[in-house]
Amino acid sequence: MAQLDLRGISKSFGDTAVLRDIDLSIADGEFLTLVGPSGCGKSTLIRIIAGLEPQTAGSIAVDGAPIDHLRPHERRVAMVFQSYALYPHMTVFQNLALPLTMARLTMAERLPLLRLLSPRRRRIMAGIGQEVGAVAEQLQIDRLLDRRPAQLSGGQRQRVALGRAMVRHPAVFLMDEPLSNLDAKLRVHMRSELADLHARLRATFVYVTHDQVEAMTMSDRVAMMHGGRIIQLGTPAQLYDRPANLTVAQFIGSPTINLIKGRIGRDDAIEIPGGRIGLATGLPPGAEVTVGLRPEAVVPAPLVPAFQDPVRLPARLHRRENLGPEQILHFDLMGTEKAGLTCRVMGSETVVADEPVDLLFEASACHVFDSAGERVDLPAPVTSSPPPVRPVAPLAGGPGA
Ligand SMILES: Nc1ncnc2c1ncn2[C@@H]1O[C@H](COP(=O)(O)OP(=O)(O)OP(=O)(O)O)[C@@H](O)[C@H]1O
Ligand SMILES: [Mg+2]
């Protein structure tokens, strides 16, 4: 069990700065995920924690004690790689036992001839056999111990790689995209297995992925990285509900958040193509903003939302993706060039393609980002000048019907 503290971690390869002044504290037993686009520095950071790569500046401590001077195997951390990194000529048992035999047997006891003669070795190996058996049982690979990696499926290999980390009882598990080589269905299954494993072991997990769904579904907290920096740290809900900037807003969530270019009008409200949003941003008139709207916050008018005073934008359905329980509807906004909005709606409600329809959303559902892409914290909706309501077909049973 361990708390991990990173202070001012920077890393350059030659002139190229890859990590810039990373501060991050990971609580004992926490599942923290580093997420971000390819090349943002996730693997470099986790390799620095593992001791596989020296940092250019900064310090790492486990439970308050610096570990910068320690070699990888001395750090109480264990790394699981995307490639599994299993030894192909060894059986599953030998792969699992290797970290323990390396730690507990002398060089001589590992030699072919001497090892047969040493009673101490036999005793140690019996203990290792029991520990490996217990871990293999937990991971349900106990029937595979005599096989070699080539005789295993991808998911089974992944479990062996996990097991090899588990036998060391590390304080911190470091995992670099451990599921990326698995097919989609197995990935979903292994996601819940990893979450269960974390709950059982209560160890600290640092998990790297570029898959926002993995980050959102497994983690206690997510650190989103971009350009060698952590640009937001929070719970999955915080990143989804209050993205700190446009980069996070666009990276987290599927389908991607809708973005509409707007400008602050003279009466404080945000003017967007085809309408206006009654929100006081505190920004000066004329300031350019980007309005973000999650697809589930936008509802086509034939479906009746319980919105008090919605913003309405006329649109036409352009494409429909039927996902069974829900549909993703892609609309073109009318009167604007190439601007569209994506809605996520439950059920199989029909919106007729090519017929004009109003898209409704509440001003309070809008995320507003300034011209630098940073989130604008909104004081309160503008109530004194409600947005003009366009004449549309009545909403059956809804407010304003
Ligand atoms: N040994 C190295 N020498 C020079 N540059 C490197 C080295 N290792 C990594 N880099 C660079 O550092 C940056 C970050 O790499 P890193 O592997 O940490 O990214 P990542 O976030 O893990 O990306 P991915 O999602 O593709 O795995 C990249 O631009 C990469 O080219
Ligand atoms: Mg990587």
Side-chain angles (χ1 to χ4, degrees), residues 38-39 41-44 82 176-177 208:
S38 186
K42 308 178 294 292
S43 294
T44 306
Q82 176 180 351
D176 192 354
E177 312 238 11
V208 163

Side-chain angles (χ1 to χ4, degrees), residues 184-205:
K185 197 166 169 205
L186 195 51
R187 224 165 31 225
V188 173
H189 176 71
M190 286 301 287
R191 263 190 344 233
S192 57
E193 285 209 355
L194 271 182
D196 286 350
L197 187 70
H198 174 252
R200 225 168 39 232
L201 298 176
R202 295 170 187 276
T204 309
F205 276 35

Side-chain angles (χ1 to χ4, degrees), residues 324-336:
E326 64 176 24
Q327 291 186 73
I328 311 297
L329 304 174
H330 300 270
F331 290 92
D332 291 330
L333 290 181
M334 280 161 51
T336 59

